[in-house]
């Protein structure tokens, strides 16, 4: 029997995520039946027939309720550690040079291949817990550090399993086209065929991938190679997304638009035509300020052009061992404002309504609205600005997932 319990949260401000000032209602009420919201609005206007004596009521005692946050781009599962590369970069070694010398992504590939599922779970859980403490209720996790059929599926299984060990919704993305593995260094064509003919169909058959991603960059895969992969993914009925134009303009934005991608992510070097094509095709642009900050990049994503194009902008942690060792979505939102010039409301939408769209979940997640799943973050704060303005001290946060306090 499905849970049909009526639950009511009242006695504090509610920011729905839609409308002016974050959709904030000073004295708000949320009513859920089972896992779904049935009412959200001002306390003074709650329809009386919604209440009965069986309703469980939670007193917010002045705490702020927002939608549970959504981190739409992470590489949360990986083996090993790359702190030494951070130190090397601080001494001047560029990321691309470290990558070409077999460090970077490939050093994490070696460690991930050597790790068992239990070890990968154990190392990912603290990072996951850190994100959950930031009010995250849904997150995306990519593979991409296995680069063999078995190791990519292992990563996806681990990602899915994290969702059974913690109350959180997980979306998985196959990123076998993250780097050319060493054993295929001189035969990248064969590696691509291995992905399209074996890894992709196996992941699809096992139902382990919700989407397919690729790293389109001079140090990774070219646009024609990605187009070939995306065609194969589309034939299998899988949506695509792309690491696009992070370090150079590879035409990634236009490519993502051509395949009706869920999102194109990074976009520091995206050109205006590509951004316009994305907006036209409904592709979300995902900004990843953690990587920009850690790599000490100088070219910020063209946010003014994105606004001009009418592009929907999300913000994510890109939590990974190399370019963005960042397990805080709150900090990513802060950086999106201070480094990229997003308004706080744009940044907040980027981790709620627009992040839901970037994962194809916006019909039932991302904002507080009747019919949507009741995923909430309840903060020791009065206004959404307080969630993003602090560095190093997070307001305490409780979460509700599918109507249940967790
Ligand atoms: N771009 C990124 O930000 C991550 N992957 C990618 O294609 C970096 C991954 C890493 O350095 O391990
Ligand atoms: Fe990434």
């Amino acid at each position: 029997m499905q849970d049909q319990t009526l639950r009511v949260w009242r006695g504090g401000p509610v920011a729905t995520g839609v409308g002016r000032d974050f959709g904030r209602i000073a004295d708000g009420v949320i009513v859920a039946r089972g896992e779904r919201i049935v009412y959200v609005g001002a306390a003074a206007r709650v329809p009386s027939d919604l209440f009965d004596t069986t309703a469980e009521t939670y007193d917010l005692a002045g705490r702020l309720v927002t939608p549970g946050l959504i981190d739409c781009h992470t590489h949360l599962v990986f083996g090993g550690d790359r702190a030494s590369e951070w130190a090397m970069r601080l001494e001047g070694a560029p990321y691309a040079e470290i990558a070409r010398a077999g460090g970077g992504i490939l050093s994490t590939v070696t460690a991930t291949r050597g790790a068992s599922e239990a070890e990968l779970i154990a190392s990912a859980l603290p990072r996951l817990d850190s994100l959950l403490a930031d009010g995250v209720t849904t997150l995306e996790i990519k593979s991409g550090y296995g680069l063999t059929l078995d190791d990519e599926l292992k990563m996806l299984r681990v990602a899915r399993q994290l969702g059974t060990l913690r109350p959180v919704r997980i979306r998985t993305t196959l990123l076998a086209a993250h780097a050319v593995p060493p054993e295929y260094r001189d035969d990248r064509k064969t590696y691509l065929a291995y992905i399209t003919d074996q890894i992709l169909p196996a992941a699809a058959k096992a139902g382990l991938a919700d989407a397919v991603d690729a790293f389109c960059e001079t140090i990774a895969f070219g646009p024609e190679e990605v187009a070939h992969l995306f065609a194969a993914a589309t034939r299998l009925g899988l949506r695509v997304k792309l690491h696009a134009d992070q370090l150079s303009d590879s035409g990634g934005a236009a490519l993502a638009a051509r395949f009706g991608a869920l999102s194109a992510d990074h976009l520091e070097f995206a050109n205006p035509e590509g951004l316009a094509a994305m907006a036209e095709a409904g592709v979300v642009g995902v900004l990843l300020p953690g990587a920009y900050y850690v790599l000490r990049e100088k070219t910020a994503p063209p946010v003014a052009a994105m606004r001009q194009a009418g592009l929907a902008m999300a913000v994510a942690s890109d939590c990974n061992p190399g370019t963005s060792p960042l397990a805080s979505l709150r900090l990513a939102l802060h950086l999106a404002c201070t480094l990229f010039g997003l308004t706080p409301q744009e940044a907040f939408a980027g981790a709620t309504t627009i992040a839901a769209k970037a994962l194809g979940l916006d019909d039932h997640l991302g904002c507080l609205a009747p019919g949507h799943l009741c995923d909430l973050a309840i903060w020791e704060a009065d206004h959404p600005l307080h969630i993003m303005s602090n560095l190093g001290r997070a307001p305490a946060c409780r979460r509700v997932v599918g109507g249940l306090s967790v």
Side-chain angles (χ1 to χ4, degrees):
M1 241 307 257
Q2 258 199 334
D3 176 20
Q4 291 293 323
T5 309
L6 208 56
R7 297 187 179 87
V8 181
W9 290 264
R10 62 189 320 159
V14 171
T16 64
V18 181
R20 59 168 292 280
D21 192 26
F22 303 81
R24 186 176 177 279
I25 303 159
D27 186 12
V29 169
I30 296 164
V31 184
R33 185 179 296 283
E35 63 179 6
R36 302 238 170 216
I37 295 172
V38 292
Y39 175 85
V40 53
R45 290 204 225 117
V46 187
S48 55
D49 63 336
L50 267 181
F51 289 107
D52 61 36
T53 48
T54 63
E56 287 175 15
T57 301
Y58 299 89
D59 180 11
L60 295 168
R63 291 183 197 89
L64 169 73
V65 184
T66 69
L69 300 190
I70 299 174
D71 195 345
C72 67
H73 179 144
T74 87
H75 309 250
L76 195 82
V77 173
F78 57 83
D81 164 83
R82 305 236 299 273
S84 60
E85 285 181 18
W86 176 63
M88 283 164 67
R89 286 199 310 273
L90 289 175
E91 286 179 16
Y95 177 67
E97 200 172 282
I98 294 173
R100 278 191 208 100
I105 292 171
L106 292 182
S107 81
T108 301
V109 169
T110 305
T112 305
R113 285 178 177 176
S116 67
E117 290 190 26
E119 286 164 342
L120 290 175
I121 288 171
S123 68
L125 275 175
R127 293 188 284 272
L128 177 59
D129 287 336
S130 167
L131 288 172
L132 301 189
D134 269 0
V136 168
T137 50
T138 297
L139 83 155
E140 185 254 20
I141 301 177
K142 302 174 194 298
S143 65
Y145 293 119
L147 312 186
T148 67
L149 173 59
D150 287 349
D151 291 303
E152 286 292 297
L153 296 190
K154 173 176 78 176
M155 287 190 72
L156 294 172
R157 275 194 304 272
V158 166
R160 282 277 168 88
Q161 205 167 341
L162 291 171
T164 67
L165 296 171
R166 293 291 185 272
V168 61
R169 302 180 199 276
I170 305 276
R171 300 295 283 178
T172 52
T173 300
L174 178 71
L175 178 56
H178 198 191
V180 177
E183 62 275 20
Y184 288 94
R185 181 171 300 153
D186 301 317
D187 193 5
R188 44 192 305 129
K189 225 177 144 158
T190 305
Y191 181 60
L192 254 185
Y194 176 43
I195 301 177
T196 54
D197 301 351
Q198 296 185 52
I199 303 182
L200 203 59
K205 183 150 180 264
L208 281 171
D210 297 309
V212 173
D213 194 349
F215 188 16
C216 186
E217 192 56 65
T218 47
I219 55 169
F221 295 89
E224 295 80 25
E225 292 172 323
V226 174
H228 179 68
L229 169 71
F230 279 6
T234 306
R235 280 196 296 276
L236 287 170
L238 287 167
R239 296 291 298 273
V240 298
K241 55 176 78 181
L242 190 62
H243 282 72
D245 306 327
Q246 177 187 7
L247 307 169
S248 62
D249 181 1
S250 312
L255 180 63
R258 199 174 115 212
F259 282 91
L262 285 164
S263 68
D265 306 28
H266 286 290
L267 298 174
E268 276 80 346
F269 288 86
N271 62 60
E273 295 74 31
L275 296 175
M278 279 175 61
E280 171 85 8
V283 181
V284 172
V286 180
L287 305 184
L288 305 169
Y292 172 89
Y293 170 74
V294 170
L295 293 179
R296 296 195 289 174
E297 294 291 330
K298 296 287 177 280
T299 303
V303 166
M306 290 174 173
R307 287 194 190 109
Q308 176 110 41
L311 190 71
M313 295 180 286
V315 180
S317 71
D318 196 13
C319 181
N320 76 62
T323 60
S324 190
L326 170 62
S328 169
L329 185 53
R330 273 181 352 98
L331 185 50
L333 299 181
H334 180 104
L335 293 175
C337 297
T338 51
L339 298 177
F340 295 167
L342 260 60
T343 66
Q345 181 150 344
E346 282 175 326
F348 193 72
T352 51
T353 51
I354 310 297
K357 184 169 156 64
L359 296 179
L361 303 174
D362 49 318
D363 62 342
H364 61 282
L365 282 175
C367 65
L368 304 183
H372 278 215
L373 291 172
C374 185
D375 286 6
L376 313 175
I378 304 176
W379 307 86
E380 298 282 347
D382 177 61
H383 192 279
L385 286 174
H386 299 139
I387 299 167
M388 297 177 280
S389 61
N390 285 308
L391 296 179
R393 188 184 61 80
C397 178
R398 307 174 193 177
R399 301 178 310 124
V400 171
V401 177
L404 299 176
S405 299
V406 295

